[in-house]
Amino acid sequence: MSVPELTADEIAALLAAHAEWSLAREGKAIARTFRFKDFSEAWGFMNRVALLAEAQDHHPEWFNVYNRVEITLTTHDAGGLSARDAKMAAAVEALLP
């Protein structure tokens, strides 16, 4: 099943709604770096994101070193950004204090 890619206007709205995220991979993804108090706090955040991702059937690409978690969202089925990424970005942000 093909997933529609966001239009340029939809991408602009996504970035306006989630100012901490930035375009990555030549506009085909969004990325954000999160910093936490320590590794344990970062790992707990990753666990919560993993549960969201599984529930949404949309899994982020991520990288973790100590207190830093880098998340990249893209929809491979769309060949770029889709509404799935916008929904996931909002859900991830909702986990933050």
Side-chain angles (χ1 to χ4, degrees), residues 21 34 36 41-62 69-73 88-89 91-96:
W21 294 82
F34 300 85
F36 299 94
E41 192 174 292
W43 191 262
F45 171 75
M46 290 177 69
N47 282 330
R48 291 188 300 279
V49 171
L51 293 173
L52 283 174
E54 193 65 20
Q56 292 184 20
D57 193 30
H58 186 59
H59 304 93
E61 298 173 18
W62 55 14
V69 177
E70 298 172 12
I71 296 179
T72 301
L73 299 174
M88 186 63 156
V92 168
E93 288 189 0
L95 294 174
L96 300 172

